[in-house]
Amino acid sequence: MNSIPSLPPGQQLAATGKWPIVGERAPAAGDTWRGVEITGLVDSSRHWTFDELAQLPQAHLATDIHCVTRWSKLDVRFSGVWLDDLLRVVGVQAQARFISFLAHSERAHSTSLTLADALAQRTLLALACEGIPLDLSRGGPLRTIVRGKYFYKSLKWLRRIELLSEDRLGFWETHAGYHNQANPWREERFVATSPNRIELGRRLASLDFREANLLNLDLSGRDLSGMRAARGILRNADFRRARLQRADFSGANLSNAKLQDANLSDAIFRDADLEGADFCGADLRGADLRGASLFGATFCSTVPPDERTAAAVALIDVRTQYSAVALETLAPPQAAVLRHGTAT
Ligand SMILES: Nc1nc2c(c(=O)[nH]1)N[C@H]1C(S)=C(S)[C@@H](COP(=O)(O)O)O[C@H]1N2
Ligand SMILES: [Mo]
């Protein structure tokens, strides 16, 4: 057997040749991108056009990509300009501690880093990937690539860089509870906020989670049969061993959900976001997964047999429905479970 490349905990390789588009898929419509400026706590602000950046000596970076939704791609080659070099041109002032990156996008997407984290050739302003100018959907003409962080710290359609004395939390960090450190080796995925207790109590009584927006929900081991959660945003929820027969998760966001050993028979996941969800040992007989996004999802354990606890493979039958296109996005051992079902 070939040696297995080392992945951070809880990550698995994306299927060969597959690279999901995550988050925004296109820059702001209407006015065009006009290059990048560096402002804030600098000696003199400056603006660079694409051509000016392209004429600078191009640096090359081969790095591993780790998405918070649990897929990784190893050794992806980018080229562009080191942030360090541009910061030397503008002159960073002594009070600057943080650096904020702003996108040319509809919702003015942003993210931030400590200045210390951004330097030492950690942050590349990338113009190309694998020798080809960056696709628009990948953040072209210009995106950042930040090595050693989950990929949400790498901003697409970079338009402004601002040096700050206090941190300014980015879009995902503010609205989706993503961890501000984002170190994949320490699994800094989400901040541990607990859901609003009053809202949770009301919803548990009625089992109505439609349109709810609750991060890090812990409903492990509960009887939630028939739960209604269409279009709920329930990132990083813990449903291990829960009874969820006939639950409706149509259009819901269950990214990174823990569904190990849950009873999901006849549950509906139509068009749900199931990226990074873990179904090991779950009962998926009669479940409807059509239209669901399954990048980074797990159906069989990658843990060695002697370290496994409960059932390690999802239970599938002929009534389990899923789309062929979702199969292609799964790592081969995971796709095999869906395709061939499970011997019981
Ligand atoms: N402008 C912008 N940049 C962004 C995002 C976004 O929604 N908008 N999503 C982030 C996330 S969560 C990831 S995983 C990567 C995805 O990059 P890709 O679409 O090239 O895979 O972009 C990051 N940068
Ligand atoms: Mo991500």
Side-chain angles (χ1 to χ4, degrees):
M1 258 197 80
N2 294 329
S3 67
I4 295 159
S6 66
L7 283 170
Q11 295 293 117
Q12 55 182 309
L13 285 179
T16 316
K18 294 289 167 187
W19 180 356
I21 309 254
V22 181
E24 296 175 298
R25 312 184 74 83
D31 69 325
T32 47
W33 179 82
R34 289 180 207 292
V36 64
E37 59 169 341
I38 305 189
T39 63
L41 297 171
V42 293
D43 294 333
S44 57
S45 299
R46 232 210 98 161
H47 179 272
W48 281 266
T49 64
F50 181 84
D51 288 342
E52 286 169 333
L53 292 173
Q55 275 150 28
L56 295 174
Q58 299 296 292
H60 302 279
L61 167 65
T63 191
D64 300 341
I65 295 175
H66 305 298
C67 181
V68 72
T69 58
R70 301 186 184 277
W71 57 267
S72 294
K73 278 182 78 65
L74 301 184
D75 204 32
V76 185
R77 281 145 216 271
F78 294 95
S79 48
V81 180
W82 290 119
L83 175 65
D84 310 38
D85 294 336
L86 300 187
L87 289 182
R88 224 166 282 125
V89 175
V90 295
V92 175
Q93 295 183 355
Q95 320 90 280
R97 291 279 179 279
F98 298 91
I99 186 159
S100 161
F101 301 89
L102 184 76
H104 176 64
S105 77
E106 214 68 69
R107 64 181 180 213
H109 193 90
S110 63
T111 191
S112 69
L113 294 169
T114 64
L115 188 54
D117 269 349
L119 295 175
Q121 304 197 333
R122 296 276 296 271
T123 305
L124 186 76
L125 275 53
L127 285 69
C129 179
E130 306 295 348
I132 299 165
L134 272 179
D135 270 9
L136 200 63
S137 61
R138 296 254 166 250
L142 186 72
R143 78 174 298 164
T144 62
I145 296 295
V146 181
R147 59 171 144 191
K149 301 276 177 190
Y150 285 122
F151 207 35
Y152 59 85
K153 290 289 183 183
S154 296
L155 188 97
K156 303 191 271 194
W157 318 293
L158 176 68
R159 85 175 323 165
R160 185 159 81 227
I161 297 172
E162 200 174 339
L163 279 298
L164 304 166
S165 58
E166 304 286 338
D167 201 0
R168 181 189 295 150
L169 283 189
F171 180 89
W172 292 123
E173 294 87 336
T174 307
H175 297 289
Y178 284 28
H179 200 294
N180 198 30
Q181 299 308 319
N183 181 340
W185 299 96
R186 286 197 228 125
E187 281 213 84
E188 293 167 338
R189 296 177 197 272
F190 297 100
V191 288
T193 54
S194 57
N196 177 325
R197 302 234 160 267
I198 296 164
E199 178 182 359
L200 185 56
R202 186 167 50 76
R203 288 187 180 277
L204 272 174
S206 58
L207 288 186
D208 185 355
F209 284 76
R210 288 175 294 178
E211 324 262 349
N213 187 348
L214 295 162
L215 177 70
N216 294 336
L217 206 57
D218 184 354
L219 298 176
S220 52
R222 283 173 187 262
D223 185 357
L224 306 165
S225 319
M227 170 175 176
R228 290 169 300 162
R231 291 173 309 283
I233 301 174
L234 306 174
R235 286 191 173 87
N236 213 40
D238 188 344
F239 287 114
R240 283 175 291 182
R241 300 176 313 282
R243 291 190 288 286
L244 284 160
Q245 303 93 298
R246 299 175 315 283
D248 181 9
F249 291 107
S250 308
N253 185 327
L254 287 175
S255 53
N256 288 13
K258 300 179 186 75
L259 292 154
Q260 292 99 310
D261 307 305
N263 185 342
L264 302 172
S265 51
D266 300 308
I268 303 163
F269 294 98
R270 295 271 327 230
D271 302 315
D273 181 343
L274 299 173
E275 295 182 10
D278 193 333
F279 292 95
C280 285
D283 185 345
L284 280 165
R285 289 175 295 182
D288 185 353
L289 298 150
R290 285 175 294 169
S293 175
L294 291 171
F295 270 106
T298 301
F299 294 92
C300 63
S301 179
T302 49
V303 175
D306 51 327
E307 290 169 32
R308 283 177 199 159
T309 45
V313 182
L315 198 55
I316 310 287
D317 71 0
V318 288
R319 295 176 306 122
T320 310
Q321 302 185 70
Y322 51 86
S323 354
V325 48
L327 268 190
E328 287 172 28
T329 68
L330 286 169
Q334 307 301 336
V337 175
L338 273 192
R339 201 177 275 123
H340 304 303
T342 330
T344 40

